[in-house]
Amino acid sequence: MERSPLFCKRDRPGTGLVELTFFLQQMINGVALGSLYGLIAIGYTMVYGIIRLINFAHGDVMMMGCYFAYFGILMFSLPWWASFVIAMALTAVLGVMMDKGAYVPVRNAPRISALITAIGVSFLLENLGLVVFGGRPKGFPTPEMFSEVYEVAGLMFPALVVWTPLLTLLILSAVLFIIYRTKTGRAMRCISHDMETTRLMGVDVNRIISITFAVGSAAAAAGGIMWAMRYPEINPLMGIIPGFKAFVAAVLGGIGNITGAMLGGLLLGVAEIMLVALMPELAGFRDAVAFGLLILILLFRPTGLMGTKLPD
């Protein structure tokens, strides 16, 4: 079945009132796109909230998750659901390996060292992807249940638009459960306030941080797979823009705050879709608007909408 366009334009742009159906359709599209941003932003905000590291390789981790799913389906002929689950698990392992191999050695170094390391890991993954997978984009298989399009009261609901917020809510609930209802989550919150005191209390800080990377990376893989089905092709550089947008979402909502990251993602997604839908002549500036929003937030409310000032 033919995929519905992500951005629907008015028949007569710039004239007349926005019809209610048109507005609701764009809101639906905006919520779906925002859910993707929020899902990817969870990993950003978890890692920053605990070790104050902006993991610029997060978008590339998302890209790797897409390739794991792609090869699971096409090379190993796994059912799509098994391939997606295995891809999330492998991406979680990749996140742990990144932490152990790149970030643990600079854990006690100045923060700028960790930041440079994150940028280096990002370039490493991108160039490794170009060498191993090739630079040519690959079509990502979309299972039939995600290709359907439903129509309700004149509104079009592509299955992905329905499933993306549901999956995001499910993963968000699981992450919040881990953080607020488990001993591991309690340790994460303690580390975010005072890593050294937490270590003195007998907590294996490195293990907890590795779990954080694993959870955040698995969420990024889920977001990446949904992204790849929506824009059905993958390439080794596909994580750059979604990664930056997710970072904007995390900062907008309050980096370090899981719920804030989701709120920031939703606001960013709706703002982008509305900009393109209501002012199509400015569609080429939607990325600039997102990054302009980041600058404004950093200037006037650096803690974001729901964030609080975190201890150094």
Side-chain angles (χ1 to χ4, degrees):
M1 185 173 294
E2 186 178 354
R3 183 182 300 276
S4 288
L6 175 63
F7 302 114
C8 301
K9 296 181 180 179
R10 287 178 292 175
D11 293 335
R12 291 179 299 169
T15 63
L17 298 174
V18 178
E19 296 179 359
L20 179 60
T21 302
F22 174 82
F23 177 78
L24 292 176
Q25 185 68 64
Q26 304 315 317
M27 284 296 294
I28 292 168
N29 292 336
V31 168
L33 179 62
S35 299
L36 275 179
Y37 288 148
L39 191 53
I40 302 169
I42 286 176
Y44 264 121
T45 209
M46 284 186 71
V47 170
Y48 183 84
I50 292 179
I51 60 174
R52 308 293 183 270
L53 169 68
I54 299 174
N55 183 18
F56 281 115
H58 194 65
D60 303 299
V61 171
M62 183 203 89
M63 173 270 295
M64 293 296 292
C66 294
Y67 273 100
F68 290 147
Y70 173 84
F71 286 114
I73 294 175
L74 296 185
M75 182 174 290
F76 298 101
S77 302
L78 295 174
W80 64 265
W81 55 269
S83 179
F84 290 178
V85 171
I86 291 173
M88 291 176 64
L90 290 177
T91 310
V93 172
L94 175 65
V96 173
M97 291 172 62
M98 277 173 42
D99 177 50
K100 297 292 187 187
Y103 299 136
V104 169
V106 295
R107 188 85 80 213
N108 297 316
R111 195 169 301 172
I112 188 66
S113 301
L115 185 65
I116 293 171
T117 302
I119 295 173
V121 172
S122 174
F123 285 135
L124 173 65
L125 290 177
E126 289 168 10
N127 286 279
L128 191 64
L130 286 171
V131 172
V132 176
F133 307 133
R136 182 179 298 175
K138 293 179 170 57
F140 192 86
T142 302
E144 187 176 349
M145 68 172 288
F146 295 109
S147 302
E148 306 268 340
V149 179
Y150 311 105
E151 182 175 359
V152 179
L155 298 173
M156 305 304 293
F157 288 86
L160 271 176
V161 167
V162 177
W163 281 107
T164 301
L166 292 177
L167 176 65
T168 301
L169 281 177
L170 179 65
I171 292 179
L172 176 64
S173 302
V175 170
L176 290 177
F177 179 82
I178 292 172
I179 292 176
Y180 292 105
R181 291 289 185 271
T182 66
K183 289 184 178 178
T184 300
R186 190 182 307 154
M188 289 177 181
R189 285 182 281 139
C190 290
I191 293 171
S192 71
H193 287 284
D194 193 330
M195 184 182 296
E196 290 308 314
T197 301
T198 306
R199 196 192 306 273
L200 291 173
M201 295 174 69
V203 175
D204 187 343
V205 169
N206 286 333
R207 185 178 70 85
I208 298 298
I209 294 174
S210 291
I211 293 174
T212 304
F213 270 91
V215 173
S217 299
I225 291 169
M226 301 303 283
W227 186 281
M229 288 192 289
R230 186 162 193 158
Y231 307 93
E233 68 172 30
I234 58 176
N235 66 77
L237 304 181
M238 63 172 287
I240 296 176
I241 291 299
F244 281 139
K245 295 286 186 67
F247 175 66
V248 173
V251 174
L252 176 61
I255 194 164
N257 185 306
I258 301 290
T259 309
M262 187 55 58
L263 175 64
L266 288 174
L267 290 176
L268 183 61
V270 171
E272 273 194 31
I273 292 291
M274 285 300 176
L275 174 73
V276 175
L278 301 181
M279 292 179 283
E281 64 276 10
L282 298 180
F285 293 94
R286 67 177 188 272
D287 291 343
V289 169
F291 297 125
L293 186 62
L294 172 64
I295 294 173
L296 291 176
I297 286 290
L298 291 175
L299 283 176
F300 298 105
R301 192 174 173 81
T303 56
L305 298 177
M306 297 182 65
T308 56
K309 185 174 175 56
L310 298 172
D312 291 330

